[in-house]
């Protein structure tokens, strides 16, 4: 009988410890502890290499639905958050939030000028992948996929990634905030040949 | 003279001393003979129509929405809604894994687009994981920013009620699709977020549930 009671006690204890652990993983405090709402710095020009440098600082960082805040420690500081839950407050942008910051855009859609956002500034911006695909907003325009170069984007209804480099075989190295299981990084993709993707370009590059 | 001036001023900033009598397309708001439990604001019934693709005039605004560069064709019911400040189209694709929509308002828009807003939502077992907020692109004539979101009503719900500034908009569930609702209050463009004060009711107005939906632009 005592063995049965011991088993029940252990089972109950294990259950609550497991639940507590799961809750800690789901509700990180990355945004609350690290991110800010500082104003962006207006800048008079942007270059593709400059934006690539901005993008590379997000490489190896996390992914957060509706997110837009990351550090540069080459680590996903909040892995395995439930997908599509903005309340988990984890590290990273989602695909459109990442693009918004790399492209140095304004939260005002009619404003095509350039704004440098800090890495730890938590901002997503008004655009979704679908709206980027349609070229919504003054800074964004649709372009033929054949014309895409570094730091242009390929966007579908549900995802957007930036061209980092083009491979000799015609595939692209895409830098993107891919998902909770992947974080933000560079992968070879065939988005350019996928009919569900369209070409998008940020207006106003100096070089 | 003073009372006339007061009436003129009351509508300028988008607030209303009484429920609006007309919808965005200048049609009169239909009379609604339902009392909604726990809703104190005067209510305005938005209009809703359910079409299928072959019924849509290609030259119409709805046609312009369907002909956008979507990754798939519409399939099944196409739900068209007109409210006081916003209107919308919602439809699914053939695989039933995608929900698509267009949002609109009376304000100016870039490039003379027929629809100022556009939205896509992935469906997982027929359900959204996110209300797919669209905010910042559509404005009222007075310059107020609209936010749009999809509500997935609870079983048995016939009406979704959304509080506005000075009145409440009533949306009738239709077409078996999520209900696209709009708000002019609770919109925070700086953080790409909007809050909707929602109540869901049965056909006789009985309250099923009441909540505040805080939606963020994502994905």
């Amino acid at each position: 009988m005592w063995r049965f009671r011991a088993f029940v006690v252990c089972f109950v204890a294990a259950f609550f410890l497991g639940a507590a652990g799961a809750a800690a993983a789901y509700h990180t405090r990355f945004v609350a502890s690290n991110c800010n709402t500082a104003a962006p710095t207006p800048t008079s020009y942007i270059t593709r290499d400059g934006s690539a440098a901005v993008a590379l600082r997000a490489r190896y960082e996390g992914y957060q639905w509706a997110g837009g805040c990351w550090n540069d420690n080459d680590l996903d500081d909040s892995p395995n958050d439930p997908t599509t839950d903005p309340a988990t407050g984890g590290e990273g942008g989602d695909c459109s939030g990442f693009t918004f910051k790399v492209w140095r855009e304004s939260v005002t859609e009619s404003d095509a000028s350039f704004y440098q956002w800090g890495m730890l500034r938590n901002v997503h911006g008004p655009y979704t992948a679908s709206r980027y695909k349609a070229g919504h907003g003054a800074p964004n325009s649709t372009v033929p996929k054949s014309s895409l170069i570094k730091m242009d984007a390929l966007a579908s209804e549900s995802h957007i990634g930036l061209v980092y480099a083009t491979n000799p075989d015609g595939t692209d190295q895409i830098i993107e905030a891919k998902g909770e299981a992947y974080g933000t990084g560079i992968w070879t993709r065939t988005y350019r040949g996928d009919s569900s993707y369209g070409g998008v370009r940020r207006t106003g590059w100096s070089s | 003279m003073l009372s006339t001036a007061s009436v003129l001023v009351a509508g300028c900033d988008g607030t209303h001393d009484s429920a609006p009598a007309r919808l965005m397309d200048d049609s009169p708001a239909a009379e609604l003979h339902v009392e909604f439990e726990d809703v104190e604001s005067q209510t305005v019934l938005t209009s809703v129509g359910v079409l299928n693709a072959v019924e849509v005039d290609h030259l119409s605004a709805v046609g312009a929405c369907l002909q956008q560069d979507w990754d798939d064709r519409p399939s099944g019911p196409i739900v068209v809604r007109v409210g006081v400040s916003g209107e919308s189209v919602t439809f699914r694709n053939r695989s039933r894994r995608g929900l698509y929509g267009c949002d609109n308002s009376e304000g100016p828009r870039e490039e003379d687009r027929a629809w100022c807003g556009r939205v896509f939502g992935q469906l997982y077992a027929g359900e959204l994981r996110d209300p797919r907020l669209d905010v910042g692109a559509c404005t009222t004539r007075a310059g107020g920013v609209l936010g749009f979101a999809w509500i997935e009503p609870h079983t048995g719900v016939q009406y979704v009620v959304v509080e506005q500034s000075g009145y409440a908009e009533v949306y009738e569930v239709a077409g078996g699709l999520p209900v696209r609702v709009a708000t002019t209050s609770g919109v925070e463009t700086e953080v790409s977020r909007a809050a909707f004060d929602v109540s869901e009711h049965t056909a006789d107005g009985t309250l099923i549930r009441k909540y505040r939906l805080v939606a963020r632009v994502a994905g």
Side-chain angles (χ1 to χ4, degrees), chain A residues 65 94 96 129-130 133 137 157, chain B residues 69 110 113 118 130 137 192 219:
Chain A
W65 186 253
D94 62 15
S96 49
S130 177
K133 183 190 175 192
E157 298 306 334
Chain B
D69 183 25
E110 57 182 336
R113 293 180 191 271
R118 163 196 172 105
D130 177 271
S192 305

Side-chain angles (χ1 to χ4, degrees), chain A:
Chain A
M1 187 61 176
W2 69 265
R3 284 182 184 155
F4 176 75
R5 284 180 188 161
F7 169 79
V8 170
V9 168
C10 289
F11 176 81
V12 170
F15 174 81
F16 281 106
L17 283 171
Y26 282 8
H27 301 289
T28 67
R29 290 193 55 78
F30 183 87
V31 171
S33 301
N34 299 283
C35 305
N36 63 61
T37 56
T41 303
T43 182
S44 57
Y45 69 93
I46 57 169
T47 66
R48 292 177 185 273
D49 285 342
S51 280
V54 171
L56 282 173
R57 298 187 80 184
R59 190 183 189 190
Y60 306 123
E61 307 303 331
Y63 171 99
Q64 173 66 48
W65 186 253
C69 167
W70 54 84
N71 58 21
D72 191 14
N73 65 354
D74 289 351
L75 181 69
D76 181 350
D77 288 294
S78 47
N80 301 317
D81 285 358
T83 54
T84 64
D85 183 354
T88 54
E91 184 200 23
D94 62 15
C95 62
S96 49
F98 169 69
T99 300
F100 175 84
K101 284 183 91 168
V102 171
W103 276 0
R104 264 80 71 86
E105 297 189 326
S106 168
V107 294
T108 303
E109 295 196 17
S110 58
D111 183 358
S113 46
F114 314 115
Y115 296 87
Q116 185 71 36
W117 300 91
M119 272 192 311
L120 291 172
R121 170 48 156 106
N122 192 26
V123 63
H124 178 279
Y127 308 111
T128 61
S130 177
R131 295 194 65 220
Y132 271 123
K133 183 190 175 192
H136 281 201
N140 309 312
S141 59
T142 57
V143 293
K145 286 192 282 186
S146 57
S147 72
L148 298 177
I149 59 175
K150 186 177 185 177
M151 289 297 108
D152 289 336
L154 285 146
S156 71
E157 298 306 334
S158 57
H159 186 58
I160 181 169
L162 299 169
V163 176
Y164 182 72
T166 300
N167 297 320
D169 65 359
T171 57
D172 295 294
Q173 295 175 40
I174 299 290
I175 186 164
E176 58 188 340
K178 181 60 181 173
E180 276 296 345
Y182 312 94
T184 301
I186 297 175
W187 292 275
T188 292
R189 301 291 190 202
T190 56
Y191 297 159
R192 200 185 293 242
D194 185 335
S195 61
S196 65
Y197 280 81
V200 191
R201 176 168 292 155
R202 206 266 193 243
T203 59
W205 298 104
S206 296
S207 65

Side-chain angles (χ1 to χ4, degrees), chain B residues 5-132:
Chain B
S6 297
V7 168
L8 288 172
V9 164
C12 286
D13 63 353
T15 61
H16 300 264
D17 289 334
S18 60
R22 306 195 83 82
L23 304 179
M24 191 184 120
D25 60 0
D26 207 33
S27 63
E31 280 195 37
L32 184 58
H33 301 290
V34 177
E35 245 186 73
F36 293 103
E37 182 183 353
D38 208 22
V39 174
E40 296 177 10
S41 306
Q42 291 182 68
T43 55
V44 180
L45 179 63
T46 62
S47 74
V48 63
V50 182
L51 310 170
N52 61 51
V54 296
E55 292 174 312
V56 174
D57 178 357
H58 295 309
L59 299 178
S60 67
V62 176
C65 172
L66 301 186
Q67 288 163 63
Q68 288 191 26
D69 183 25
W70 304 110
D71 61 2
D72 202 351
R73 294 178 181 277
S75 176
I78 297 163
V79 178
V80 182
R81 297 181 180 277
V82 182
V84 173
S85 300
E87 58 183 0
S88 68
V89 175
T90 298
F91 59 94
R92 266 192 306 244
N93 64 358
R94 288 171 295 186
S95 69
R96 294 187 156 222
R97 291 197 200 111
L99 191 67
Y100 302 76
C102 298
D103 301 318
N104 210 10
S105 66
E106 294 177 292
R109 75 281 317 280
E110 57 182 336
E111 296 177 13
D112 294 322
R113 293 180 191 271
W115 295 84
C116 45
R118 163 196 172 105
V119 62
F120 170 80
Q122 195 83 40
L123 293 170
Y124 299 87
E127 293 186 351
L128 292 165
R129 287 183 179 172
D130 177 271
R132 311 312 293 130

